[in-house]
Amino acid sequence: MGAPGSATSGASDTGAAGSPANRVAEAYQREKARAGGNWYAYLSVAGGGGAPQVAVQDKADVVVEAYSVNKIAVAVAVLDKVDRGLLTLDQRVEVTAAIVVPGGDGIFGLDSAYPSSVTLGHALAALLTISDDTAVRLCGLVCPAAELNQILVAKGFPNTQVEPVANPNRFFLGTSTARETHNLLQALVAGTLLSPASTAFLINVLRAPIAFTDGIRRTMSSDERARVATKAGWFADARHEAGIIFNAAGAPVLTYVLFADGQADPDNFGATHPAVQARAAMGPKFLAAVSGVTNSAVPTRRPRAYRPTNGG
């Protein structure tokens, strides 16, 4: 395994050049080179006995602004309080005009009708699928910044922290490292991070059809997209994404954290940004690389069936 901060292809960790981990590494290196800029990444493939095989570690211990990828960590802290009986998903939080973030991402800013209220479960779903910015503030109402950071430290993630501001119930989304975000996702699918109910809730939201589709999931069928739990983050010149790919049986077989900044076209927040295009190219290659990989060390989690409706 390479030293912290180095970029490795995975060959030293997995042996055979044609192994799934090496195929993942090759796809990463190829698309990273095309996109340019700075990358901070950690990717692993399920190996024998369930031990993850490192495919890529590229400046994996550099602390970066994680932006909306850290909404996963926010959700983990809130759900930890749910698990301890301090909160419930069906309790309501107030949506006032003052708490709504104008512009930006999400749906609450489009309502134009305040005050209103939603359940905490609704706020978390909006936080993780459409990356709603107001939902961050709604989470802050029930889990202030200082408490949120304490929960994450207690769970073993001292670098995955939100940034407090003067209002204790508000915060910027803060920092993480590729390695810590990877380890958080690994703990999630292993069932050691949250209760079974909260684990299922979080994974189901992250691989919902309306979760982020411009990156890893862009060029995939609906069934393939359902096998990917993902969260993206974008701000300034950074374009990030982190998640888990499951096999057809519902076992997690690839965990990826892809933080990137410094690419061209920083004002383009669409699908044609170089780093987003790179991740879109990686997605199908990652799926193909782990085709046939199994993982019996953790629970299988089949996605919910997608059944579009026509109203009525």
Side-chain angles (χ1 to χ4, degrees), residues 173-252:
L173 286 164
T175 61
S176 188
T177 69
R179 189 187 303 271
E180 273 200 6
T181 297
H182 169 275
N183 291 346
L184 184 150
L185 292 169
Q186 286 268 299
L188 176 66
V189 293
T192 61
L193 191 65
L194 296 166
S195 71
S198 290
T199 298
F201 174 88
L202 186 48
I203 291 174
N204 285 338
V205 172
L206 289 173
R207 63 183 177 188
I210 61 167
F212 187 72
T213 56
D214 268 350
I216 292 293
R217 304 205 301 175
R218 187 195 305 173
T219 312
M220 292 185 182
S221 70
S222 56
D223 286 344
E224 289 169 338
R225 286 180 173 181
R227 289 170 47 197
V228 182
T230 201
K231 182 72 192 75
W234 51 89
F235 192 77
D237 69 342
R239 303 293 185 274
H240 305 329
E241 189 169 359
I244 305 148
I245 294 178
F246 298 79
N247 64 17

Side-chain angles (χ1 to χ4, degrees), residues 15-311:
S19 70
N22 276 277
R23 292 171 65 194
V24 167
E26 289 167 4
Y28 166 80
Q29 296 290 357
R30 185 182 306 112
E31 300 308 327
K32 168 193 169 180
R34 288 177 180 171
N38 311 305
W39 291 75
Y40 317 85
Y42 198 99
L43 296 87
S44 70
V45 175
Q53 296 179 334
V54 178
V56 173
Q57 53 174 342
D58 188 351
K59 293 179 284 187
D61 297 303
V62 175
V63 176
V64 301
E65 293 287 339
Y67 299 120
S68 286
V69 168
N70 258 10
K71 288 175 181 175
I72 301 175
V74 171
V76 165
V78 172
L79 289 167
D80 176 81
K81 294 187 69 173
V82 171
D83 290 344
R84 288 184 284 133
L86 302 175
L87 302 171
T88 62
L89 288 179
D90 61 357
Q91 75 181 65
R92 302 194 78 83
V93 287
E94 297 299 315
V95 185
T96 63
I99 207 169
V100 172
V101 179
D105 297 296
I107 193 169
F108 288 110
L110 304 175
D111 291 356
S112 300
Y114 316 104
S116 63
S117 68
V118 296
T119 65
L120 183 56
H122 181 103
L124 288 173
L127 178 80
L128 296 169
T129 54
I130 57 175
S131 203
D132 195 290
D133 294 329
T134 297
V136 177
R137 293 182 175 182
L138 297 177
C139 289
L141 293 177
V142 299
C143 189
E147 182 183 14
L148 197 160
N149 282 338
Q150 289 170 357
I151 291 170
L152 293 173
V153 169
K155 288 183 176 293
F157 307 108
N159 293 307
T160 306
Q161 300 279 280
V162 300
E163 181 183 343
V165 296
N167 184 332
N169 296 105
R170 294 190 184 179
F171 46 82
F172 294 113
L173 286 164
T175 61
S176 188
T177 69
R179 189 187 303 271
E180 273 200 6
T181 297
H182 169 275
N183 291 346
L184 184 150
L185 292 169
Q186 286 268 299
L188 176 66
V189 293
T192 61
L193 191 65
L194 296 166
S195 71
S198 290
T199 298
F201 174 88
L202 186 48
I203 291 174
N204 285 338
V205 172
L206 289 173
R207 63 183 177 188
I210 61 167
F212 187 72
T213 56
D214 268 350
I216 292 293
R217 304 205 301 175
R218 187 195 305 173
T219 312
M220 292 185 182
S221 70
S222 56
D223 286 344
E224 289 169 338
R225 286 180 173 181
R227 289 170 47 197
V228 182
T230 201
K231 182 72 192 75
W234 51 89
F235 192 77
D237 69 342
R239 303 293 185 274
H240 305 329
E241 189 169 359
I244 305 148
I245 294 178
F246 298 79
N247 64 17
V253 292
L254 170 61
T255 304
Y256 59 88
V257 181
L258 300 162
F259 293 142
D261 60 32
Q263 288 77 28
D265 208 5
D267 295 326
N268 175 9
F269 293 95
T272 57
H273 183 278
V276 181
Q277 286 186 314
R279 299 198 315 267
M282 291 177 198
K285 293 181 175 67
F286 288 172
L287 270 182
V290 297
S291 175
V293 173
T294 61
N295 186 356
S296 60
V298 297
T300 57
R301 306 177 190 278
R302 291 187 178 275
R304 293 176 175 175
Y306 176 51
R307 295 187 179 91
T309 66
N310 190 32

